[in-house]
């Protein structure tokens, strides 16, 4: 417990330093120390006394001296100083969509605002657009962001929800009196947005767990608090529920809190049909009332004569019937994914070189990739001129030979307002693969947007339609498109539609992805990575695709490269 508290304080200091604009190495040092402290084998105090703490990796001299002072008087000097300098309200700026530490600092330093209300007033008084590097567009975006933050009655994107949930889970899991902490609810079912976060904890000391949960640094407000459950509002704006159970209740409890409610209701009926009673804690015999020991969800399904049903399928969309008939979809795993057909490099708005992306993708188990940087019209993303694209094609081909790793030379080509493409046919013909996407003119009517996509699909040099509905979860609605016509056209022209695995996108959504499956239109799950670490979005894309019941055969980049090339006619 002592270690955890220190770890939080170090983390908080790091966040404040970021706002203050401190040297990133210094920020990193505090973050690393926070992580190191949270996983110490003994109490930091003991380790300080016996000299072991100085040897721990991630805790340098400066940090050690901070911790020594903390051990004596209970305050971290660096944090105390930062809290003097930066008002609490400024930290809340970070909860506004698209506001990072740099911008928060700018508002605070240049406008002198210290609360969200003051910031909003300043934006309405058109003072934000006067700031260096910002403009009217940022100002409008800021006002919309503040509004959205307040609304929040709605759902939160998994992009925000998942990192927060993982952080909370790790903190609870690290407690000595916690056996297991599991994320349940819609996040475990891999929904694209969630209403709240649900945590299930196994512990013999529920009161202690609740105590820690409600005092987590991420918690803003406690809305309900009992002896074994609690509800809070996180600073990020969404709610959280925790439920503490004992080990015997784990299997049924996890199943219940994972949901969905509709799936649970069906499962209760199945239990009843089999002579049992299923509730949130246990499975009991209907007549004897004796509990059936259920250690985990596998045992629960087995007790009801069912194969295990993946959380992603638990929506009462036919999964129970499929399970009874032995017709559940084969579980799509990230190991099935061979290629990644959409990623960016320094040629447009990416951070890494072609070589770095290729090496990273290979080390993550991909056996082929496509480099698809932005095309010339997309000025904001540093779109490539025709000459630059040709230079890249050359580099890609040379590199593929050098690395002995198949890299397709591609492009993410803008679909212009009239549905034509951003380069001429002669240039496109030289590429191995073309992802065509809409990045502008979302304001068009449904029939115009649909026509644009249909024209692109019919274009002989286009192979994949990127993020087909343009949604940005929590920021931008999908643009209106007649997706049934789009899918029909994709089938007719043997094209591929993308599930863009970026957490804010997940586009196609699960409904359209399922429609593709039903119509035998292959889907490509692409990361759209702009940095090497974003290649890991593949895990999320795959998990999301399971919600659409996609199997490896439905996913074009799970095919061997030869099959993919044959399908796109290369
Ligand atoms: P969300 O939060 O709207 O994104 O979706 P969930 O599924 O996480 O919903 P939530 O947080 O209200 O509840 C978590 C799970 O607890 C839910 O999936 C199933 C279970 N649950 C909650 N309320 C009920 C209920 O009234 N009946 C049944 N059978 N299950 C419930
Ligand atoms: Ca929930
Ligand atoms: Ca809940
Ligand atoms: Zn794009």
């Amino acid at each position: 417990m002592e270690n955890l508290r220190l770890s939080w304080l170090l983390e908080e200091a790091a966040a404040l330093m970021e706002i203050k604009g401190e040297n990133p190495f210094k920020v990193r040092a505090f973050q690393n120390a926070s992580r190191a402290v949270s996983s110490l084998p003994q109490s930091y105090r003991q380790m300080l006394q016996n000299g072991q703490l100085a040897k721990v990796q991630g805790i340098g001299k400066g940090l050690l001296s901070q911790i020594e002072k903390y051990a004596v008087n209970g305050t971290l000097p660096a944090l105390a100083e930062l809290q003097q300098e930066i008002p609490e309200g400024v930290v809340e700026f970070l909860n506004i969509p698209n506001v990072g530490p740099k911008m928060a600092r700018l508002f605070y330093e240049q406008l002198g605002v210290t609360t969200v209300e003051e910031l909003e007033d300043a934006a309405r008084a058109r003072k934000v657009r006067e700031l260096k590097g910002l403009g009217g567009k940022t100002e409008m975006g800021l006002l919309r962001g503040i509004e959205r933050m307040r609304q929040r009655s709605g759902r939160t994107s998994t992009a925000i929800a998942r990192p927060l949930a993982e952080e909370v889970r790790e903190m609870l899991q690290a407690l000595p009196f916690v056996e297991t902490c599991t994320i349940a609810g819609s996040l475990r079912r891999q929904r694209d947005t969630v209403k709240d976060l649900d945590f299930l904890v196994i512990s013999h000391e529920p009161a202690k767990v609740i105590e820690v949960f409600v005092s987590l640094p991420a918690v803003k407000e406690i809305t309900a608090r009992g002896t074994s459950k609690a509800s809070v509002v996180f600073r990020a704006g969404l709610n959280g529920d925790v439920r503490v159970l004992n080990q015997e209740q784990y299997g049924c409890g996890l199943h219940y809190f994972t949901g969905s409610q509709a799936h649970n209701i069906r499962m209760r009926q199945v239990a009843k049909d089999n002579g049992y009673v299923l509730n949130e804690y246990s499975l009991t015999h209907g007549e004897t009332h004796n509990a059936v020991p259920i250690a985990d969800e596998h045992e629960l399904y087995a007790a009801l004569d069912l194969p295990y049903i993946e959380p992603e399928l638990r929506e009462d969309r036919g999964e129970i019937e499929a399970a009874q008939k032995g017709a559940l979809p084969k579980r799509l795993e990230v190991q099935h994914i061979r290629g990644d057909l959409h990623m960016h490099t320094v040629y447009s708005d990416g951070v890494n070189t072609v070589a770095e992306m290729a090496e990273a993708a290979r080390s993550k188990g991909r056996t082929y990739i496509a480099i698809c940087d932005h095309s010339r019209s997309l000025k904001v993303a540093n779109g490539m001129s025709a000459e630059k694209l040709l230079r890249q094609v050359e580099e890609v081909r040379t590199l593929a030979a050098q690395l002995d790793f198949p890299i397709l030379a591609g492009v993410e080509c803008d679909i212009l307002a009239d549905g034509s493409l951003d380069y001429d046919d002669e240039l496109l013909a030289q590429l191995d693969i073309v992802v065509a996407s809409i990045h502008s003119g979302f304001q068009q009517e449904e029939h115009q947007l649909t026509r644009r996509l249909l024209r692109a699909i019919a274009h002989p040099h286009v192979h994949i339609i990127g993020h087909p509905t343009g949604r940005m979860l929590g920021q931008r609605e999908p643009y209106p498109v007649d997706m049934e016509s789009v899918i029909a056209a994709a089938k007719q022209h043997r094209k591929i539609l993308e599930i863009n695995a970026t957490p804010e996108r997940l586009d196609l959504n699960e409904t359209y992805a399922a429609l593709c499956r039903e119509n035998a239109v292959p889907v490509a799950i692409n990361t759209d990575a702009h940095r090497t670490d974003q290649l890991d979005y593949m895990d999320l894309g795959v998990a999301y695709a399971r919600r659409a019941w996609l199997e490896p055969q439905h996913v074009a980049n799970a095919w061997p490269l030869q099959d993919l090339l044959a399908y796109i006619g290369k």
Side-chain angles (χ1 to χ4, degrees):
M1 196 55 231
E2 251 193 345
N3 289 355
L4 210 60
R5 168 139 204 96
L6 173 57
S7 158
W8 297 341
L9 295 176
L10 290 164
E11 185 65 47
E12 195 168 337
L16 288 171
M17 281 178 186
E18 267 194 293
I19 294 179
K20 204 183 150 196
E22 287 273 18
N23 177 336
F25 290 106
K26 216 173 144 189
V27 176
R28 190 85 42 80
F30 273 74
Q31 287 167 341
N32 288 343
S34 165
R35 213 163 308 134
V37 168
S38 74
S39 55
L40 292 175
Q42 296 166 3
S43 108
Y44 84 90
R45 201 178 282 276
Q46 265 173 357
M47 294 183 71
L48 196 60
Q49 276 158 10
N50 63 22
Q52 290 298 314
L53 197 64
K55 296 180 196 155
V56 173
Q57 208 188 355
I59 302 181
K61 264 205 196 117
L63 265 304
L64 193 67
S65 126
Q66 291 277 328
I67 296 174
E68 276 167 352
K69 292 186 181 124
Y70 172 75
V72 177
N73 61 19
T75 48
L76 272 180
L79 179 60
E81 213 171 286
L82 285 159
Q83 283 169 333
Q84 288 291 318
E85 285 175 69
I86 301 167
E88 212 173 315
V90 175
V91 184
E92 285 200 24
F93 294 173
L94 300 181
N95 295 334
I96 306 169
N98 297 327
V99 175
K102 270 204 196 113
M103 218 189 263
R105 178 170 80 245
L106 206 60
F107 297 151
Y108 166 53
E109 285 182 354
Q110 305 287 318
L111 298 173
V113 294
T114 57
T115 63
V116 174
E117 287 70 32
E118 288 173 11
L119 176 60
E120 187 179 15
D121 289 344
R124 290 202 194 290
R126 305 181 148 236
K127 288 185 192 153
V128 168
R129 66 178 66 204
E130 304 298 322
L131 296 176
K132 194 161 170 255
L134 304 187
K137 231 176 165 172
T138 314
E139 190 173 76
M140 297 306 291
L142 180 68
L143 285 170
R144 272 201 308 276
I146 292 174
E147 210 168 291
R148 260 204 321 273
M149 183 174 85
R150 294 225 174 92
Q151 285 171 354
R152 280 286 193 202
S153 57
R155 304 177 65 84
T156 303
S157 143
T158 177
I160 293 171
R162 189 173 306 278
L164 173 61
E166 304 277 0
E167 185 186 320
V168 170
R169 196 199 75 79
E170 275 170 29
M171 284 186 175
L172 296 180
Q173 181 72 70
L175 299 170
F177 45 87
V178 165
E179 294 277 322
T180 322
C181 175
T182 313
I183 296 169
S186 51
L187 196 63
R188 178 160 183 250
R189 303 197 313 276
Q190 307 287 349
R191 280 199 60 171
D192 45 15
T193 61
V194 303
K195 178 197 69 191
D196 66 3
L197 303 180
D198 302 283
F199 301 92
L200 189 67
V201 175
I202 304 301
S203 169
H204 289 302
E205 310 207 53
K208 276 190 175 175
V209 176
I210 298 301
E211 175 62 35
V212 174
F213 181 73
V214 300
S215 48
L216 288 171
V219 167
K220 186 161 89 180
E221 210 181 300
I222 305 170
T223 42
R225 180 179 182 167
T227 49
S228 65
K229 53 181 168 181
S231 300
V232 299
V233 184
F234 290 113
R235 286 184 206 279
L238 74 169
N239 299 349
D241 290 336
V242 70
R243 194 70 76 106
V244 190
L245 301 178
N246 60 43
Q247 190 73 56
E248 297 73 58
Q249 298 167 323
Y250 181 70
C252 292
L254 179 59
H255 180 266
Y256 178 87
F257 291 111
T258 297
S260 65
Q261 188 173 335
H263 175 86
N264 288 356
I265 291 169
R266 292 293 311 277
M267 284 288 284
R268 283 185 183 187
Q269 189 58 45
V270 174
K272 204 170 156 202
D273 296 344
N274 284 276
Y276 294 109
V277 175
L278 175 64
N279 69 23
E280 58 183 278
Y281 306 112
S282 63
L283 181 73
T284 48
H285 286 282
E287 280 168 15
T288 62
H289 302 295
N290 288 337
V292 183
I294 301 288
D296 58 25
E297 290 179 327
H298 290 266
E299 293 191 8
L300 174 60
Y301 284 106
L304 301 179
D305 253 346
L306 292 173
Y308 180 72
I309 301 178
E310 297 292 337
E312 292 85 355
L313 302 179
R314 300 181 197 167
E315 300 288 348
D316 190 21
R317 292 184 194 150
E319 72 277 9
I320 298 205
E321 292 78 359
Q324 284 165 338
K325 285 190 297 201
L328 286 170
K330 175 181 163 75
R331 186 180 200 268
L332 181 70
E333 315 256 7
V334 77
Q335 284 75 17
H336 290 125
I337 301 297
R338 299 170 195 253
D340 185 344
L341 302 174
H342 182 176
M343 64 184 71
H344 297 268
T345 73
V346 288
Y347 274 87
S348 63
D349 60 347
V351 170
N352 295 101
T353 62
V354 177
E356 286 164 351
M357 293 306 278
E359 297 275 21
R362 178 151 73 176
S363 76
K364 291 175 196 299
R366 307 288 106 78
T367 57
Y368 58 86
I369 59 167
I371 299 292
C372 294
D373 269 307
H374 290 291
S375 64
R376 64 182 163 198
S377 290
L378 201 59
K379 296 276 179 343
V380 291
N382 191 27
M384 299 176 291
S385 65
E387 297 71 40
K388 196 168 178 187
L389 173 56
L390 284 171
R391 244 185 295 134
Q392 187 185 47
V393 171
E394 217 179 285
E395 179 178 336
V396 164
R397 302 237 152 98
T398 314
L399 201 68
Q402 267 173 15
L403 298 177
D404 191 23
F405 181 65
I407 312 174
L408 305 182
V411 73
E412 181 180 15
C413 188
D414 265 41
I415 303 171
L416 304 178
D418 62 355
S420 63
L421 296 182
D422 205 11
Y423 296 116
D424 57 35
D425 290 4
E426 195 199 332
L427 179 52
L428 293 174
Q430 297 183 50
L431 302 169
D432 302 320
I433 198 158
V434 174
V435 175
S437 311
I438 291 181
H439 288 119
S440 60
F442 311 118
Q443 306 75 11
Q444 290 179 338
E445 304 278 333
E446 173 170 335
H447 69 270
Q448 291 170 304
L449 282 155
T450 306
R451 216 179 75 88
R452 261 169 102 179
L453 286 178
L454 294 182
R455 266 194 79 182
I457 288 172
H459 193 293
H461 296 314
V462 168
H463 307 110
I464 301 179
I465 299 295
H467 43 74
T469 74
R471 72 173 179 171
M472 292 294 260
L473 293 166
Q475 295 167 46
R476 189 170 72 213
E477 291 296 310
Y479 39 72
V481 211
D482 173 4
M483 198 48 72
E484 290 188 10
S485 313
V486 167
I487 290 172
K491 186 179 172 72
Q492 185 195 340
H493 295 281
R494 292 172 65 86
K495 299 296 158 78
I496 298 167
L497 300 183
E498 179 180 79
I499 293 183
N500 189 296
T502 308
E504 292 84 1
R505 289 195 183 269
L506 296 173
D507 177 13
L508 298 171
N509 69 21
E510 60 192 71
T511 312
Y512 295 143
L515 206 57
C516 284
R517 170 177 50 74
E518 286 162 17
N519 287 282
V521 169
V523 166
I525 305 172
N526 293 329
T527 62
D528 195 359
H530 285 66
R531 295 197 310 255
T532 51
D533 60 321
Q534 292 178 345
L535 292 166
D536 289 331
Y537 288 162
M538 192 58 84
D539 296 275
L540 177 64
V542 165
Y544 188 62
R546 286 198 289 267
R547 291 184 57 81
W549 296 41
L550 295 196
E551 300 182 17
Q553 83 231 34
H554 304 124
V555 179
N557 53 317
W559 303 342
L561 180 57
Q562 291 314 315
D563 296 3
L564 171 69
L565 293 176
Y567 180 81
I568 66 174
K570 291 265 173 177

